[in-house]
Each structure stands twice: as C-alpha cells, then as structure tokens.
C-alpha cells in the first residue's frame, strides 16, 4: 500500500503517493517521534509548499501543504457568546483566531508565537497551528530519506569532524 520492493535485496523503497486531503494509509508513512521536543524540531524542518500530515479535529492524519510560516497572535482565550466565538489575547485585545494576519496587521501590543498555515483540501480550506502544538499535530511524510532532527545534527557533526561541510 503505497510502497513497492526495490531491486536490491527485496528492500522496501518508499513510493509515497498522496494527494492533498488524503488520509494516512499507514503510520509508517509518517515520521513519528516520541519526544515532543524532537517532534517540534521535525515539524520545523518542513519547507514552504511541502506536503506533510496534520492531525484533524476528527483524529485522522491527512495530507496538507505548508502555505506560510510567520509570527501570529498567541495566548488566545476563546469565549462563546450566542453561537459566535470571540478570541482575546492575554492583553485583552480581541482578534480572530481562525485567520492569518499579514505583517501589516500585527502590532507591538500583540503577544506573538511562530505559527504555520496549512492548506488542507482542494477547496482551499486552511488550518493554523501554533508552535506549541506542532509536536502533537504535525508530522513529516516518511519518504525513506527523512532524518530525525537528532540524526540530522549527528550527520552534520560527523561531516564537520571529517572536514566535510
């Protein structure tokens, strides 16, 4: 399912083929790290326009595309009045937690946190995930070449030790 044997010794070579919004077929298709710190570092390696898995509110992991990464309002407290949700920063300023702010809309009075904006389906629906939640809600695709953040730093240390940069 999504994988085919390679010519060398019957090893499995990843041939992941996912489209936007597809549900993960197997956990092996994701880079899963036990440590929240490593999982956040792994998520931070995702590049703009790269596919990854995000955990949806229904608990399923689906393919999304990273559209943007920027500082966004943080520490939001949501309150419900009638059937509408209002969000307030810790300073009491009201703002909409479901929208992406441009750099011109962000001011010095806002508490900010690094966030990622994902496109989650072909209709253009989006989801914003703040950095404190990256480890729980974002996973890289395991295409067979993905290194964990720890493996990447060890590989860099070895290259530097050997004089290879």
């Amino acid at each position: 399912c999504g994988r085919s044997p390679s010519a060398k010794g019957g090893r499995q070579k990843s041939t992941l083929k996912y489209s936007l919004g597809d549900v993960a077929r197997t956990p092996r298709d994701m880079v899963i790290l036990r440590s929240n710190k490593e999982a956040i570092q792994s998520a931070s390696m995702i590049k703009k326009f790269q596919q990854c898995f995000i955990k949806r509110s229904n608990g399923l992991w689906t393919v999304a595309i990273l559209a943007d990464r920027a500082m966004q309002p943080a520490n939001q407290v949501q309150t419900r009045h009638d059937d509408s949700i209002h969000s307030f920063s810790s300073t009491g300023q009201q703002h909409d937690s479901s929208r992406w702010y441009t750099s011109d809309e962000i001011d010095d009075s806002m508490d900010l946190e690094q966030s990622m904006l994902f496109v989650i389906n072909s209709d253009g629906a989006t989801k914003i995930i703040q950095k404190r939640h990256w480890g729980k809600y974002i996973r890289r695709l395991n295409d067979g070449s993905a290194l964990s953040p720890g493996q990447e730093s060890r590989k860099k240390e070895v290259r530097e030790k050997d004089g290879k940069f």
Side-chain angles (χ1 to χ4, degrees), residues 35-52:
S35 156
N36 188 54
K37 182 179 177 181
E38 283 188 345
I40 289 172
Q41 288 175 334
S42 177
S44 72
M45 295 169 66
I46 298 168
K47 307 284 185 231
K48 196 169 183 179
F49 307 122
Q50 186 176 2
Q51 285 186 334
C52 64

Side-chain angles (χ1 to χ4, degrees), residues 18-84:
Y18 280 99
S19 297
L20 186 62
D22 284 355
V23 175
R25 294 184 284 271
T26 173
R28 289 178 300 198
D29 290 344
M30 296 184 267
V31 175
I32 302 171
L33 300 165
R34 292 179 187 251
S35 156
N36 188 54
K37 182 179 177 181
E38 283 188 345
I40 289 172
Q41 288 175 334
S42 177
S44 72
M45 295 169 66
I46 298 168
K47 307 284 185 231
K48 196 169 183 179
F49 307 122
Q50 186 176 2
Q51 285 186 334
C52 64
F53 289 103
I54 62 169
K55 189 172 186 178
R56 303 292 300 276
S57 55
N58 62 8
L60 295 175
W61 289 91
T62 63
V63 173
I65 296 173
L66 178 60
D68 201 3
R69 180 192 323 232
M71 299 302 284
Q72 292 290 301
N75 301 324
Q76 299 170 1
V77 178
Q78 293 187 344
T79 60
R80 184 176 285 277
H81 296 287
D82 300 327
D83 281 326
S84 59

Side-chain angles (χ1 to χ4, degrees), residues 73-160:
N75 301 324
Q76 299 170 1
V77 178
Q78 293 187 344
T79 60
R80 184 176 285 277
H81 296 287
D82 300 327
D83 281 326
S84 59
I85 295 177
H86 304 281
S87 296
F88 298 88
S89 69
S90 60
T91 60
Q93 181 180 359
Q94 183 175 349
H95 58 267
D96 183 357
S97 63
S98 63
R99 68 182 279 269
W100 193 252
Y101 287 75
T102 66
S103 57
D104 293 337
E105 295 173 305
I106 295 174
D107 62 51
D108 293 338
S109 70
M110 295 178 172
D111 292 328
L112 301 176
E113 180 175 7
Q114 191 173 10
S115 300
M116 292 188 196
L117 173 68
F118 295 95
V119 177
I120 58 175
N121 64 30
S122 58
D123 293 333
T126 60
K127 182 170 183 140
I128 298 169
I129 303 177
Q130 295 173 323
K131 185 172 184 175
R132 65 178 173 267
H133 301 297
W134 291 359
K136 184 175 181 180
Y137 295 105
I138 304 170
R139 291 184 179 163
R140 291 184 298 140
L141 266 72
N142 185 3
D143 63 2
S145 65
L147 296 176
S148 73
Q151 290 171 318
E152 184 64 38
S153 64
R154 283 190 292 279
K155 185 177 174 183
K156 183 179 176 187
E157 288 171 9
V158 168
R159 281 194 312 259
E160 288 173 353

Side-chain angles (χ1 to χ4, degrees), residues 1-4 12-18 25-26 29:
C1 188
R3 298 179 184 272
S4 62
Q12 296 286 313
K13 181 182 178 190
S14 177
T15 56
L16 298 179
K17 293 186 181 173
Y18 280 99
R25 294 184 284 271
T26 173
D29 290 344

